[in-house]
Every structure is written in structure tokens, then in C-alpha cells.
């Protein structure tokens, strides 16, 4: 039931950096873990990164490890995805999502574990 709005996606060149933001409505944001997923045309939605409600633990997909960093600012109801050294294969629609249940300590990679989704923001990386 949480409303999420992503922003920051745009056309960039390979090697560039970009920071995506996801702003959540309501006062329950800080109780939920958050995740980022992405989807290229004709492809399955894939896990990118996740962070626990406290921000103490994170998980990043192997394909982005060392290049992307998820973080959150609970005071601003915002989760971020810092993307560095972007590659053309990073192109896709990026979605943020909130955990299905509050205060979970575990980090999940399956979309089914997330209950609220934003509309997505397009990231295009040219070669």
C-alpha cells in the first residue's frame, strides 16, 4: 500500500555515473526493507540490490557488485541507487520496491517478496 516514485533515470554514456532516487509516501517507510529491480525489453525483471529497514545490511547482484550501491535516508523517506561505471547492459527500467512485511532482517532477491512497487524510471546507457 506504500506509494513509491522513482526518479533520476536518463540517457548516459558508458562509463558515466547516475544516482536514482525513490521517494515513499507515508510514515511507515522506515519499517520496511527496500529493493531495486530492473527490466530490459523482452527480459525478466531482475534483482539489483536490497537494503534492510535499518540500513545495516545490503545485498547487491553479482552483475552490479562493486559498481552500484544502495542506500537509504529514512528521514527523507528515500532510497537511493548510486550507479557508477555504467555499461550498456545496465539499460532498462529501474523499479524500487518495499518489502512485503515490516521489520524483516533478511534480504530477498525475488520480486514476490516485495509488496509495493513504483512505476519505474528509464535508464539508457549508450556505447
Amino acid at each position: 500500500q506504500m506509494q513509491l516514485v522513482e526518479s533520476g533515470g536518463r540517457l548516459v554514456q558508458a562509463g558515466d555515473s547516475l544516482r536514482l532516487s525513490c521517494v515513499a509516501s507515508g510514515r511507515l517507510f522506515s519499517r520496511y526493507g527496500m529493493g531495486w529491480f530492473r527490466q530490459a525489453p523482452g527480459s525478466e525483471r531482475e534483482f539489483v540490490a536490497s537494503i534492510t529497514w535499518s540500513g545495516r545490511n545490503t545485498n547487491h547482484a553479482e552483475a552490479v557488485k562493486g559498481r552500484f550501491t544502495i542506500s537509504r535516508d529514512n528521514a527523507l523517506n528515500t532510497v537511493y541507487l548510486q550507479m557508477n561505471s555504467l555499461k550498456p547492459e545496465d539499460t532498462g527500467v529501474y523499479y524500487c520496491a518495499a518489502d512485503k512485511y515490516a521489520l524483516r532482517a533478511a534480504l530477498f532477491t525475488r520480486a514476490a517478496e516485495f509488496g509495493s512497487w513504483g512505476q519505474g524510471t528509464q535508464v539508457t546507457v549508450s556505447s
Side-chain angles (χ1 to χ4, degrees):
Q1 297 180 19
M2 192 182 304
Q3 291 180 284
L4 305 171
V5 180
E6 304 95 335
S7 64
R10 62 182 179 90
L11 172 65
V12 298
Q13 297 182 73
D16 284 355
S17 295
L18 197 61
R19 187 180 70 175
L20 305 183
S21 298
C22 174
V23 179
S25 65
R27 55 189 176 182
L28 301 179
F29 172 78
S30 62
R31 302 180 185 180
Y32 287 83
M34 300 292 295
W36 284 99
F37 290 76
R38 67 187 183 188
Q39 187 169 21
S43 300
E44 290 283 318
R45 186 171 300 186
E46 66 174 337
F47 168 78
V48 176
S50 61
I51 186 168
T52 54
W53 64 271
S54 66
R56 294 176 182 175
N57 296 291
T58 62
N59 186 31
H60 297 80
E62 197 67 29
V64 306
K65 193 172 297 182
R67 298 188 299 117
F68 292 10
T69 303
I70 189 172
S71 63
R72 68 189 298 161
D73 188 335
N74 287 345
L76 297 178
N77 270 29
T78 303
V79 61
Y80 304 96
L81 184 67
Q82 178 65 47
M83 304 184 292
N84 298 326
S85 301
L86 282 162
K87 304 174 181 179
E89 51 261 46
D90 294 320
T91 294
V93 178
Y94 283 69
Y95 301 89
C96 67
D99 276 2
K100 193 173 183 179
Y101 305 104
L103 304 177
R104 293 202 292 185
L107 290 167
F108 301 94
T109 61
R110 295 185 178 184
E113 297 293 339
F114 296 83
S116 299
W117 295 81
Q119 293 299 306
T121 184
Q122 177 71 44
V123 173
T124 303
V125 185
S126 64
S127 60

